[in-house]
Structures are given as C-alpha cells and as structure tokens.
Amino acid sequence: MQPSPRITANPPAEVEASEFLPVMEEIRHALGRLKRWMKPRSVWPTTTMLGTRASVQAQPRGRVLIIAPWNYPLSLCFGPLVSALAAGNAAIIKPSEMTPAVSALMGRIITAVFPANEVALFEGSQPTSRVLLDLPFDHIFFTGSPAVGKLVMAAAAKHLASVTLELGGKSPTIVDASANLKLAAETLMWGKFLNNGQTCVAPDHVYVHASVKAAFVDACRSVLQQRYGAGAQAQKASPDLARVVNRRHAQRLAGLLADAQRRGARVLAGGDVDEAICYIAPTLLDQIPAGAAILSEEIFGPLLPIIGYTELDEVIAAINAAPKPLALYVWSTDRRAVSKMLAQTSSGGACVNHCVAQFAHGNLPFGGVNNSGLGSAHGEHGFKTFSHERAVLRASPLMLIKLFFPPYTQRRTDLIRRIVDALRLPML
C-alpha cells in the first residue's frame, strides 16, 4: 500500500516559482539596468526656457518602511527591498506575523547580509506595526488590504511621507463567446488556484457568455480533475494544492461559501471544507444571488463565482459600478470586443487571454488604482517609486529670463504680451 502523500502548506514547485523566482529575476533585472536608471536624464527646454539646460536626477527618498503580507511572505518582502536598495535607501522590513517561520528565515538572511543601519527586519503583530508607523519614515511601501491601506496612508500623512499601496480588490474576468475555452480554463484554473486562491491578482469572479458557459464549466471541471484529482478525497490528499494560511481565514472562506449556498447558490465543483486542516476545495459556484457576501467581499481563496451574461454592456456597467480592481482579465479573440472592454473599464493592470502573469513582467508597472492601490512596483517603476526625481536646471550665458526683470517699461510689457500671445492656442 502506497503511503499518503505529505501535504504541506504550499507545494515546493509553487514556492520556487512564486517566491524565489520573482525575487531572483528582480535582482538580475536591477543589476543589469541600474546604471541606466541612475543616470541623470537630460530634457529639452520648453519654449520659454530656451537658453537653459535641464535634467532629472534620481535621489534616494531616504528611510523607507516595507510592510509585507502573509500570502507570498518572501517575494512581497524582498521584491520591494530590491527596488529600495537599488534606489539607494535604507530600509526597515515588517513581515507578517502569520508566517513566523519565513519571517525568522528572512531575519537571518538580512542580519547576515546587511549592516543594521542599512536594512533591519522587525517581527511582531499589530503593536509592532503601529510603533513603526509612528516613526518619521520618508516613504512607506505597504502590501495588503484596502482597509489597512487607509490606516497606513493616514499614518504617513502625519509625517508627510510618500506612500506606495499595493492593495487588492475583486479582479473580474470576462470570457466571451469567441474565447478559446480550453486555454481559458487551463490558465484561469492555474491563476485562481495558485496558492489556493490567496493571490492579490487572482481572478475573483468570472463573467461567461451564456452561449459558452456550460462548455467553459465542463472545461474547468476537467482541468481541476486532471491537476488535483478526480474525487473529493483525491483533491484533499493532493500535494499540489496549497492550504489556507490559518483556521481563521479558513473559517472566513467557509462562511462565504455557506452564505452563498443558503441563499441558493449552486456548487458546480468542489465545495468540501475541513477547517481543522485549513482545507477548502477548489470550488466553482453558479446562480449566486445579488445579496451574497461573496459578490461584495474580496474572496482571497479557492472559491470562484461563475456568472453568465448575454450583454457585454451590462458586464462593463457592473465592473464600473464596483471599486476599481487590481486586475482585469479578458478572454476573447474578437479584437473590437477586447478594445471595448479595455477602453471602457479601469483597473490597475489587465491581461488579454492570460491572467496573473502581468505581475511577473519586470518592464511593466505593477500597481492598483484608487481602491486597489497607489503607485507602482517592479523594475524601473520600482526604482522610481523609491526615488525622488529632482529637477535640475542650469543657466547658460544667454539669460533670456532678463527680459522678464523689472522695471516694466512699456516696451518690455509689450514684449511679454507678444510672447504670451504667441503661445495662445489657435481658434477652433
């Protein structure tokens, strides 16, 4: 008889791909381009600044605080740290208390690599965070929920510190009638159930055109069975399925599922719960009534509402009526429909016929908008986040600005007026 597979909180392959890989790539990306990012950037003079030379100089913001969450405790801590150090800052890191083993490991790494006055790590729960937020940092980089992000922003305001807020939200997915359903199912089931749904850019819910909804659901079921097992017990024993971080979050997710079912939602796949071992099965839900909490709260777990639609305009209106999400995912081969969805919605980022991968693209700015975040991270965008762009202007011997010095004789006033008139826009 074969022994049961050992179930870990996260499959080793997912840890390698989602924790180590992004940090290593961030480091290599920064090392290869840092000289170019640091180099002062010359800019052309505008019309009234002819005769001057100007440039933009990147300077460190100074002392920065990085507050990281529990879902990807290493990459969401060390990733921003790479950008902070590349920009020349000193940093204090506050990891989540929910992943103490990872925090302890990161603390040992930090101690071994950096002097305490360059980088320091502080473990602890909310009291530690409150003490750190009372300190006069020059910049705060926070990754977490919108509710806590508001508290961080309020604390930063006391010292007029700049902030970057990487938040979350209910990232919608649209699958239209022209989509490649097999590829959509394969990719979305990966993006949704990676880390058991505990990913800030995971698809939160899916709008599927009614004409292909049944086929899409069948394709999703097939993918789940192939990856995690054909039955409930096989999926529960799968070594490839991560667990919910702790019992409190497992109870929260179980409550969302139970509330939806009480209101009439139908389970299309999954639905099994074992709070004692923080297990929630990969679950597809249908026919969810409007009042269900799962439609208004960020899920952040392995529950996926599937919502049928017939009119794209109604889907766009529903997305725009909600707070702006961190991501929007569009599955379609209709270019005009894709253009319409991108043009008429707003989100931190977007993918067409893909999902989640925008986070890993080092040349793209990663961040939210309004409720889903403020500011950007990764690559040069992360370097700029932790830098102050200082404007430097150098005069030349030709000092045209003297034309604007008093005394304002009639001749000088007429000259200034002619310059202003020359800059007027033409009549339409």
Side-chain angles (χ1 to χ4, degrees), residues 180-241:
N180 181 330
L181 299 182
K182 182 176 184 296
L183 184 60
E186 290 174 346
T187 313
L188 288 170
M189 293 304 95
W190 165 73
K192 176 61 179 180
F193 299 111
L194 174 70
N195 198 24
N196 211 9
Q198 299 165 117
T199 304
C200 61
V201 290
D204 183 272
H205 52 287
V206 181
Y207 295 100
V208 186
H209 195 274
S211 65
V212 297
K213 181 181 174 185
F216 174 73
V217 170
D218 286 344
C220 291
R221 284 198 189 105
S222 177
V223 171
L224 292 177
Q225 291 173 3
Q226 291 169 14
R227 292 180 183 171
Y228 305 119
Q233 288 304 117
Q235 291 188 2
K236 191 173 183 180
S238 172
D240 298 321
L241 186 65

Side-chain angles (χ1 to χ4, degrees), residues 45-130:
T46 55
T47 304
T48 54
M49 288 292 104
L50 291 173
T52 65
R53 292 181 296 120
S55 62
V56 179
Q57 180 187 64
Q59 290 189 315
R61 288 193 178 274
R63 301 158 300 182
V64 304
L65 172 63
I66 298 171
I67 303 177
W70 51 262
N71 56 326
Y72 294 98
L74 189 140
S75 66
L76 295 181
C77 194
F78 282 177
L81 178 62
V82 172
S83 296
L85 295 175
N89 300 278
I92 285 180
I93 302 171
K94 166 57 180 71
S96 173
E97 68 278 11
M98 293 189 193
T99 51
V102 180
S103 297
L105 173 62
M106 291 192 296
R108 293 196 295 272
I109 294 171
I110 293 297
T111 301
V113 175
F114 299 101
N117 63 346
E118 289 184 6
V119 182
L121 183 145
F122 287 84
E123 297 182 66
S125 57
Q126 291 183 2
T128 303
S129 297
R130 285 195 291 268

